[in-house]
Amino acid sequence: MRIYAAKDYADLSRKAANIISAQVIMKPNAVLGLATGSTPVGAYRQLIEWYNKGDVDFFQISSVNLDEYKGLSGEHDQSYRYFMNHNFFDHINIKKENTNVPNGLAPDAETECRRYNHVIKSLGGIDLQLLGIGGNGHIGFNEPGAAFEKETHLVTLTEQTRESNARFFAGLDEVPTHAFTMGIKSIMSAKKILLLATGENKAKALYDSFFGPVTPGVPASILQLHNDCTIIADEEALSLIREKTNWKDVNYDN
Ligand code: F6R
């Protein structure tokens, strides 16, 4: 596990984009596991800029996203498919048919989960999985208590998650109650993990995840057991780690 301190959001985004573009350059037909949320937006912007300069090419890349709200179509402006198209895919030369997001409108959830697991496996697995982290340590929609052995599955969103996402919808009633998410097992199967965290509200989750016990109570703590996990965080997100441990800008390997 490596933790890199970023000076600010621009620095964090550039560092993350560097790692992603290195992956793409080393393996032009790589499978990228992607995340939505506010944290990776800067990295996507940076990659778009480098793509426009001709420095990185996504033509042979495939992608699989972590999660999607159940009940939202890809045209809904709060769906994760819409987010990915608008923040990334529409601005680079990835082939849309090679981008995968769970289908929020799939009539049968179990069939959709099976289909998505099959997509990941038929692509040969994920080369690099990008992750954000929730204030409670969630990754994807795997909330505290999630079983470590699950692949893609349907989750009931906690009231806390629905309330915190309500700001993006017309009201709480509009926030879906369920979502598809890759499970912890799917995430852990990725060859490399890159987790990004910004802001003080992630400080406890980051400390608990990487310096506390591995426990389903803190889903991201399982990443301590991954053999190629990189974390990039800003000073606010690192504040508790700096306060409580002797970690000092050095690579922390276990
Ligand atoms: C997004 C996802 C979530 C977010 C997490 C952090 O696809 O799966 O786990 O990564 O909620 O969200 P932000 O970046 O908005 O703080």
Side-chain angles (χ1 to χ4, degrees), residues 34-40 66-67 80 131-134 138-141 202:
L34 299 175
T36 59
S38 50
T39 314
L66 279 169
D67 40 18
Y80 289 173
L131 296 175
I133 183 169
H138 75 219
I139 45 178
F141 270 123
K202 304 292 171 73

Side-chain angles (χ1 to χ4, degrees), residues 7-196:
K7 286 194 286 286
D8 52 29
Y9 185 64
D11 184 36
L12 172 135
S13 301
R14 224 170 20 245
K15 282 181 162 62
N18 260 311
I19 291 173
I20 298 165
S21 59
Q23 172 68 72
V24 170
I25 291 164
M26 296 291 281
K27 187 176 177 190
N29 62 349
V31 179
L32 300 179
L34 299 175
T36 59
S38 50
T39 314
V41 169
Y44 293 147
R45 274 200 203 120
Q46 182 65 82
L47 288 168
I48 292 166
E49 198 183 311
W50 288 339
Y51 163 73
N52 285 330
K53 283 189 182 158
D55 290 342
V56 58
D57 180 10
F58 296 91
F59 191 65
Q60 297 180 65
I61 292 293
S62 302
S63 69
V64 282
N65 258 78
L66 279 169
D67 40 18
E68 179 60 287
Y69 287 116
K70 184 170 179 350
L72 298 194
S73 84
E75 277 80 54
H76 190 291
D77 65 0
Q78 290 309 320
S79 75
Y80 289 173
R81 162 54 78 182
Y82 184 96
F83 176 102
M84 289 310 300
N85 286 349
H86 284 254
N87 285 290
F88 197 31
F89 301 149
D90 286 348
H91 309 285
I92 57 172
N93 66 339
I94 196 167
K95 290 189 205 147
K96 273 286 171 60
E97 64 268 29
N98 292 344
T99 67
N100 297 280
V101 180
N103 175 7
L105 293 184
D108 182 63
E110 230 172 88
T111 310
E112 176 57 9
C113 294
R114 261 203 313 275
R115 183 193 71 81
Y116 207 67
N117 290 332
H118 179 72
V119 166
I120 297 171
K121 280 175 197 144
S122 65
L123 288 169
I126 298 166
D127 289 296
L128 173 66
Q129 177 65 57
L130 180 62
L131 296 175
I133 183 169
N136 61 2
H138 75 219
I139 45 178
F141 270 123
N142 298 285
E143 300 287 356
F148 282 163
E149 68 276 11
K150 284 199 177 162
E151 296 185 296
T152 310
H153 60 290
L154 187 72
V155 290
T156 305
L157 300 180
T158 62
E159 277 317 292
Q160 190 195 351
T161 297
R162 290 188 66 240
E163 276 161 22
S164 94
N165 291 357
R167 64 190 192 278
F168 303 115
F169 291 83
L172 185 59
D173 287 352
E174 301 282 310
V175 185
T177 54
H178 293 81
F180 292 105
T181 185
M182 273 188 207
I184 300 283
K185 185 176 172 194
S186 333
I187 293 171
M188 287 296 282
S189 303
K191 295 176 189 96
K192 298 190 196 81
I193 304 270
L194 173 59
L195 183 141
L196 309 179

